[in-house]
């Protein structure tokens, strides 16, 4: 199997939408990922297995020194094989090269070990659900 990590690659909306639905267990809905990423994200990273997207993550940006990691998604068949860690590492390296100083991430408690291994430290944060 050929594995390839890429950052800021041309996005296929259907491919990212399928991966996101499978990884997060929600029904498939076509999302305009390419447009969203171009408008709001500083960078994104994906790992491709034999040309198919197996992992994805992106970081929205405040226009200055802070970026916020979102939507870390790995295809169910590729989970627990290091894909998530590699896409996060590729994204962080690209953000560093782009001059971003701080990368923030929020996560559910069961993902704490994953993000700690990726280099994220603990911090107090708040969350308010609006809908």
């Amino acid at each position: 199997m050929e594995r390839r990590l890429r950052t800021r690659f041309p996005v296929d909306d259907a491919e990212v939408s399928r991966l996101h639905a499978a990884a997060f267990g929600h029904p498939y809905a076509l999302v305009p990922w390419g447009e969203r990423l171009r408008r709001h994200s500083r960078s994104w990273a994906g790992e491709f297995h034999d040309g198919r997207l197996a992992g994805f993550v992106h970081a929205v940006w405040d226009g200055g020194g802070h970026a916020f990691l979102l939507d870390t998604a790995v295809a169910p068949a590729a989970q627990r094989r290091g894909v998530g860690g590699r896409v996060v590492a590729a994204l962080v390296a690209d953000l560093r090269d782009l001059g971003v100083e701080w990368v923030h991430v929020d996560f559910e408690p069961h993902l704490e070990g994953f993000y700690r291994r990726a280099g994220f430290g603990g911090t107090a944060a708040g969350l308010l659900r609006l809908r």
Side-chain angles (χ1 to χ4, degrees):
M1 171 178 45
E2 178 195 7
R3 286 192 320 205
R4 185 167 180 213
L5 272 168
R6 297 178 64 193
T7 56
R8 293 181 273 149
F9 55 92
V11 170
D12 178 318
D13 292 340
E15 185 174 42
V16 177
S17 295
R18 277 191 300 275
L19 174 64
H20 197 274
F24 289 99
H26 61 74
Y28 172 83
L30 183 62
V31 174
W33 283 100
E35 177 60 25
R36 283 184 181 181
L37 296 172
R38 281 187 295 280
R39 292 185 71 208
H40 304 291
S41 293
R42 184 65 174 127
S43 184
W44 52 93
E47 182 168 300
F48 294 82
H49 294 177
D50 293 330
R52 296 190 60 161
L53 187 63
F56 173 80
V57 65
H58 70 104
V60 296
W61 186 42
D62 73 346
H66 294 259
F68 304 83
L69 192 146
L70 293 173
D71 296 307
T72 306
V74 176
Q79 290 176 359
R80 300 211 169 281
R81 292 182 169 83
V83 174
R86 288 190 296 271
V87 295
V88 168
L91 177 66
V92 168
D94 194 42
L95 292 170
R96 183 180 292 113
D97 290 346
L98 292 168
V100 172
E101 294 178 67
W102 295 97
V103 181
H104 305 255
V105 65
D106 292 323
F107 50 81
E108 295 178 9
H110 71 278
L111 295 171
E112 182 173 359
F114 170 81
Y115 285 106
R116 296 285 181 252
R117 286 188 300 277
F120 289 87
T123 183
L127 178 65
L128 175 63
R129 184 177 188 147
L130 299 178
R131 297 191 298 157

